[in-house]
């Protein structure tokens, strides 16, 4: 039955916990505010593995490799780490940003090929790491000063990275990964949240604090359209379909909003 709740795992702490599913949809990985990284078996509804991944009381982020081969986590303690999803064994770790304020690791994301992982940090940089070795390939600098960079995301061809930069006003910034140069920077104010390329690479979607979804031209940063939410509740996160034709956002009120995304 569509929309039927399959199970409810009550032991997972919900406050400030981030999640991602394994490719087989049989496991759930979560990183909570205490710094615990856990694997939950969704058949038995039991915790299958757990490890102290980060310092307690630091908000974190989790990302799964496109082929499911690795997990990446980062948090405000300034640590980026790569894990074996089967065992939660740490494969490597690196220091990013600072371990106090502004926070270190804000969020991370794998490239579509899976050979790179980007992490946004509080020191004004998005760092690109080689997935296997943990070596820094490139540092992408914010337009001015030590401005927090968060929610980095790769273009479909992995040649560009987009991120939100906490300037005044907040900005959406796109970099060329090969050169480290800024392709464009667009003042976005409250419209900069969680920027992502759609599958064909022609548009970038971002969330607005004013309960809307903003569609931008990926080549120039120009706004194409603002898709308003019928209910004025701040969105929390969003995702789009593989073809970029549809998007869904979840709000802080627990509701979901679906849109058809204009092609141009």
């Amino acid at each position: 039955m569509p929309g039927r709740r399959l199970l409810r795992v009550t032991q997972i702490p919900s406050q400030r916990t981030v999640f991602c599913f394994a490719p087989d949809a049989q496991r759930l990985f979560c990183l909570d505010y205490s710094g615990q990284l856990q694997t939950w078996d969704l058949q038995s509804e039991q915790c299958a593995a757990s490890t102290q991944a980060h310092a307690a009381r630091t908000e974190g982020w989790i990302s799964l490799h496109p082929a499911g081969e690795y997990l990446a986590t980062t948090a405000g303690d300034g640590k980026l780490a790569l894990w074996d999803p089967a065992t939660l064994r740490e494969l490597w770790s690196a220091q990013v940003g600072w371990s106090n304020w502004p926070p270190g690791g804000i969020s991370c994301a794998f490239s579509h090929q899976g050979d790179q992982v980007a992490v946004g940090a509080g020191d004004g940089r998005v760092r690109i790491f080689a997935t296997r070795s943990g070596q820094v390939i490139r540092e992408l600098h914010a337009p001015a000063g030590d401005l927090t960079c968060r929610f980095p995301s790769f273009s479909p061809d992995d040649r560009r990275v987009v991120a939100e930069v906490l300037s005044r006003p907040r900005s959406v910034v796109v970099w060329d990964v090969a050169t480290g140069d800024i392709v464009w920077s667009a003042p976005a104010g409250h419209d900069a949240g969680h920027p992502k390329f759609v599958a064909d690479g022609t548009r970038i979607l971002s969330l607005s604090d004013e309960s809307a979804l903003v569609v931008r031209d990926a080549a120039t940063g120009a706004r194409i359209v603002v898709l308003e939410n019928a209910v004025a509740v701040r969105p929390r996160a969003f995702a789009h379909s593989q073809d970029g034709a549809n998007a869904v956002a979840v709000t802080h009120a627990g509701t979901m909003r679906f849109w058809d995304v204009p092609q141009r």
Side-chain angles (χ1 to χ4, degrees):
M1 178 186 298
R4 179 173 60 92
R5 188 176 71 189
L6 299 177
L7 56 90
R8 181 181 182 185
V9 182
T10 57
Q11 299 95 326
I12 297 176
S14 60
Q15 185 182 41
R16 304 184 188 182
T17 300
V18 288
F19 306 88
C20 66
F21 279 100
D24 60 9
Q26 299 301 307
R27 292 168 296 156
L28 181 71
F29 305 107
C30 64
L31 177 66
D32 65 28
Y33 192 53
S34 71
Q36 283 284 317
L37 176 63
Q38 299 177 337
T39 303
W40 284 83
D41 183 292
L42 298 183
Q43 293 294 322
S44 66
E45 302 185 25
Q46 297 296 314
C47 180
S50 179
T51 188
Q52 188 69 37
H54 295 275
R57 303 185 64 81
T58 57
E59 293 192 39
W61 197 262
I62 189 169
S63 182
L64 183 66
H65 184 270
E69 297 177 8
Y70 306 103
L71 272 175
T73 63
T74 191
D77 59 0
K79 176 183 176 182
L80 170 71
L82 197 77
W83 308 86
D84 180 344
T87 62
L88 296 191
R89 179 175 64 90
E90 185 179 295
L91 302 176
W92 57 258
S93 65
Q95 185 70 26
V96 294
W98 296 295
S99 58
N100 45 29
W101 185 261
I106 305 296
S107 48
C108 57
F110 282 99
S111 62
H112 294 274
Q113 292 295 319
D115 58 341
Q116 301 173 81
V117 58
V119 57
D123 61 354
R125 293 170 176 83
V126 174
R127 290 175 177 84
I128 310 294
F129 288 82
T131 299
R132 291 187 179 276
S133 69
Q135 298 299 308
V136 177
I137 300 171
R138 184 74 63 191
E139 289 192 351
L140 311 176
H141 293 258
D146 295 334
L147 302 171
T148 296
C149 299
R150 61 183 186 177
F151 309 123
S153 178
F154 284 89
S155 62
D157 60 7
D158 291 335
R159 294 180 179 179
R160 293 169 293 166
V161 163
V162 63
E164 176 186 357
V165 175
L166 299 188
S167 52
R168 293 188 178 180
R170 285 155 50 188
S171 300
V172 175
V173 181
V174 171
W175 291 267
D176 183 294
V177 174
T179 65
D181 294 336
I182 293 175
V183 178
W184 54 261
S185 175
H190 296 295
D191 299 343
H194 295 262
K196 297 178 183 177
F197 286 91
V198 298
D200 64 3
T202 62
R203 288 154 293 149
I204 288 173
L205 307 182
S206 63
L207 278 178
S208 167
D209 291 347
E210 307 300 327
S211 68
L213 187 70
V214 180
V215 184
R216 295 182 180 275
D217 187 304
T220 66
R223 275 190 184 188
I224 298 173
V225 68
V226 177
L227 305 175
E228 299 291 343
N229 195 341
V231 181
V233 179
R234 183 180 177 184
R236 183 177 180 87
F238 82 99
H240 60 80
S241 59
Q242 290 188 351
D243 61 5
N246 306 102
V248 58
V250 61
T251 72
H252 283 266
T255 59
M256 289 191 296
R257 171 72 172 175
F258 293 84
W259 291 275
D260 292 326
V261 179
Q263 298 301 303
R264 278 294 182 183

